[in-house]
Amino acid sequence: MPSGSQPAPIPCPICGAGDVNAVAAQPEDYEYRVRTDQAYGILACRACTSEFLAPRPAEAVLPSFYPRDYHAYNEDHGTIVGALVAMRGRKRAEELGRYGLGGQPTRIFDVGTGDCRHFEDMARHGAFEFAGVEINPDMVKSAREKGFAVEPGSLEALDITPYEGRFDVVTMYHVLEHVVSPAEVLARAFSLLRPGGMLCGQLPCVDSFDRAVFGRYWGGYHFPRHLQMFSSHGLATALERAGFGKVRVASALHLQAALSLQNLLVGGLGWRPGMTYGKTPAYPLLLLTAAPFCMLEFVVGRGGIMNFWVEKPA
Ligand SMILES: [Zn+2]
């Protein structure tokens, strides 16, 4: 970091510890070339080894971090990715369907629903009642046109009174790394669940081979949109602090290293192809190239993406 812009000492937003130090590697946005008005550094927590942006971005500047062609807004999957997404829908339906009570449909609240296409995938394989919240107005409109009761905005800003204690399952896939206060989001998820209900989700893992190999080019930084990069230990600590029990954290089978590889080619080697939705035309090839590495880190439990499952005590 340039001198004079040292971040003020702030506690770890994940575990609350105050013992933090600056990370030498300063990531950039290799996917969308978003420039932030303010300079951000990255701090690492010595207690839980998670990393986070400092100073903490204000809620109001977050929309400026997301370009119009952000990949999460891309509705068109290719054939292979589309097939994988459909398979994932079936697997999630089987996994989450077990939490329904007494033959009732399983009540699911999803944080960051997008256009709810994953609800449609799951509904083919079980009985569910879906609800959720989504920050992108176009996605909310699209979800509502499909008949899903999705609330606009963030979970942090939502009046959750009508939803408290009503859900068997709360899901948050790739959410906790994007929010200013993960503790607040976890506390609200806890309130939404019935006793014995389950929270699960997915997010990047900083203590991974992916991060170790690619350093500043690691796809999990997704700078500046990821405000914190959780370690597996930090995530477990945050979940326990929120009151959850039966904490399970495990590597996910995921091809994020393809993004790390792309960042390295674009940022490190100066490759400048045309990019759509943050991806180069060679991305399918990068997925294939990264697959053996991703398989290895998954098998040894050091994947760049992790899943978690926790329960609200009964
Ligand atoms: Zn920490």
Side-chain angles (χ1 to χ4, degrees), residues 17-141:
D19 188 10
V20 299
N21 63 308
V23 172
Q26 177 60 56
E28 297 168 32
D29 186 357
Y30 303 113
E31 294 165 78
Y32 302 97
R33 300 274 157 201
V34 165
R35 296 297 187 100
T36 57
D37 291 339
Q38 175 166 11
Y40 296 99
I42 294 197
L43 299 181
C45 170
R46 286 187 219 260
C48 78
T49 71
S50 300
E51 298 180 10
F52 56 95
L53 290 201
R56 301 298 289 166
E59 196 83 49
V61 307
L62 297 187
S64 71
F65 290 179
Y66 294 84
R68 290 192 67 84
D69 69 335
Y70 190 55
H71 68 88
Y73 307 151
N74 178 12
E75 301 191 14
D76 300 316
H77 289 310
T79 312
I80 295 173
V81 175
L84 290 173
V85 167
M87 272 172 55
R88 187 176 66 188
R90 179 182 195 140
K91 188 162 168 286
R92 279 182 184 166
E94 287 168 359
E95 182 183 358
L96 305 185
R98 290 197 284 269
Y99 282 84
L101 290 178
Q104 298 293 307
T106 305
R107 298 160 302 174
I108 296 181
F109 188 100
D110 187 37
V111 185
T113 63
D115 64 2
C116 292
R117 74 187 97 164
H118 59 309
F119 287 171
E120 295 179 302
D121 288 338
M122 287 177 64
R124 293 187 192 104
H125 305 286
F128 298 96
E129 282 177 20
F130 297 107
V133 62
E134 166 58 41
I135 210 157
N136 181 291
D138 293 337
M139 294 285 129
V140 173
K141 184 164 174 283

Side-chain angles (χ1 to χ4, degrees), residues 13-303:
I14 294 165
C15 78
D19 188 10
V20 299
N21 63 308
V23 172
Q26 177 60 56
E28 297 168 32
D29 186 357
Y30 303 113
E31 294 165 78
Y32 302 97
R33 300 274 157 201
V34 165
R35 296 297 187 100
T36 57
D37 291 339
Q38 175 166 11
Y40 296 99
I42 294 197
L43 299 181
C45 170
R46 286 187 219 260
C48 78
T49 71
S50 300
E51 298 180 10
F52 56 95
L53 290 201
R56 301 298 289 166
E59 196 83 49
V61 307
L62 297 187
S64 71
F65 290 179
Y66 294 84
R68 290 192 67 84
D69 69 335
Y70 190 55
H71 68 88
Y73 307 151
N74 178 12
E75 301 191 14
D76 300 316
H77 289 310
T79 312
I80 295 173
V81 175
L84 290 173
V85 167
M87 272 172 55
R88 187 176 66 188
R90 179 182 195 140
K91 188 162 168 286
R92 279 182 184 166
E94 287 168 359
E95 182 183 358
L96 305 185
R98 290 197 284 269
Y99 282 84
L101 290 178
Q104 298 293 307
T106 305
R107 298 160 302 174
I108 296 181
F109 188 100
D110 187 37
V111 185
T113 63
D115 64 2
C116 292
R117 74 187 97 164
H118 59 309
F119 287 171
E120 295 179 302
D121 288 338
M122 287 177 64
R124 293 187 192 104
H125 305 286
F128 298 96
E129 282 177 20
F130 297 107
V133 62
E134 166 58 41
I135 210 157
N136 181 291
D138 293 337
M139 294 285 129
V140 173
K141 184 164 174 283
S142 176
R144 287 182 167 176
E145 281 166 4
K146 293 174 184 172
F148 294 108
V150 168
E151 296 270 14
S154 67
L155 180 61
E156 300 93 301
L158 180 68
D159 174 14
I160 60 169
T161 320
Y163 293 107
E164 281 177 339
R166 279 191 46 202
F167 293 91
D168 303 304
V169 175
V170 173
T171 52
M172 45 179 73
Y173 304 108
H174 300 271
V175 169
L176 286 173
E177 66 274 37
H178 290 268
V179 302
V180 172
S181 174
E184 172 69 14
V185 169
L186 290 176
R188 284 173 165 254
F190 190 88
S191 299
L192 294 173
L193 286 169
R194 64 165 170 82
M198 181 187 61
L199 166 69
C200 66
Q202 188 174 84
L203 66 169
C205 179
V206 78
D207 48 340
S208 57
F209 286 171
D210 195 1
R211 161 70 172 79
V213 167
F214 290 97
R216 65 187 294 177
Y217 303 112
W218 177 48
Y221 279 122
H222 198 46
F223 183 84
R225 289 162 294 273
H226 287 179
L227 310 189
Q228 46 272 330
M229 286 58 70
F230 291 72
S231 66
S232 49
H233 172 61
L235 175 62
T237 305
L239 292 164
E240 282 161 6
R241 279 161 58 98
F244 291 103
K246 296 188 181 174
V247 175
R248 281 191 296 143
V249 177
S251 283
L253 188 51
H254 191 286
L255 296 174
Q256 179 182 251
L259 178 58
S260 306
L261 196 52
Q262 178 180 280
N263 287 347
L264 175 64
L265 294 171
V266 170
L269 303 178
W271 187 38
R272 290 286 183 276
M275 292 171 75
T276 313
Y277 291 107
K279 302 290 193 293
T280 63
Y283 204 71
L285 187 61
L286 298 179
L287 286 171
L288 281 175
T289 308
F293 174 80
C294 293
M295 196 65 91
L296 170 73
E297 57 174 8
F298 169 70
V299 167
V300 300
R302 297 288 298 279

